[in-house]
Amino acid sequence: MNSLIPPLGMATLAFVLTVVLIVGTKETKQGKAKPLGWWAVLILSLLAGASFVAAGWPFDLVPKLVMGDLLGLVGAIKPGLQVPGLALALIAVLAWVGLTRRQVAVIGIVLFYLLAGSGGSLGELAEKLRGIAENFAS
């Protein structure tokens, strides 16, 4: 099949999405393109999270930090707090707290890992996002 964009590979996709999120969320307009909108940042950050998992080093530092250190810290502070609850709490923060687009990008990446570890419907959403990222990468 002929494609407009040749296969990128997960590491390249992770790199490109990281660059897009960094330069596309700059608060002041300097280039020709407009800054990314809120929904675009959220969707791209979720896809970035999916690509980080598969891309390997150095991108896998983010999931290791979130799933290992952050969840360990939360478990130490409040034993019994489950991953789906953390994911739903982040969704509430995204919905009701006035965040900058860069904050949305960071929370979106963390949210992907929490969704992936949640199981159920939230886990299915993460699987769909991972499939979309793999489709772009290959």
Side-chain angles (χ1 to χ4, degrees):
M1 177 171 109
N2 290 337
S3 175
L4 177 63
I5 301 173
L8 296 175
M10 276 301 191
T12 304
L13 180 63
F15 175 74
V16 169
L17 288 174
T18 302
V19 170
V20 168
L21 287 170
I22 290 170
V23 299
T25 57
K26 188 167 173 92
E27 293 298 323
T28 59
K29 181 184 176 221
Q30 291 183 346
K32 292 287 184 185
K34 293 180 184 177
L36 295 169
W38 190 93
W39 281 105
V41 170
L42 180 60
I43 291 168
L44 289 175
S45 65
L46 290 169
L47 290 174
S51 64
F52 284 6
V53 173
W57 190 87
F59 298 103
D60 63 352
L61 294 175
V62 177
K64 288 178 183 175
L65 175 70
V66 171
M67 296 308 284
D69 298 339
L70 180 65
L71 291 180
L73 178 65
V74 169
I77 294 171
K78 179 60 180 146
L81 190 58
Q82 301 294 320
V83 173
L86 293 172
L88 291 173
L90 276 185
I91 291 170
V93 167
L94 283 170
W96 284 293
V97 176
L99 302 170
T100 67
R101 289 186 305 275
R102 285 202 173 154
Q103 291 169 331
V104 170
V106 170
I107 288 178
I109 291 169
V110 171
L111 180 61
F112 174 80
Y113 304 121
L114 294 176
L115 292 174
S118 293
S121 297
L122 296 175
E124 287 181 30
L125 175 60
E127 279 299 310
K128 298 283 186 195
L129 290 166
R130 189 182 58 76
I132 292 169
E134 286 179 356
N135 188 37
F136 278 117
S138 58

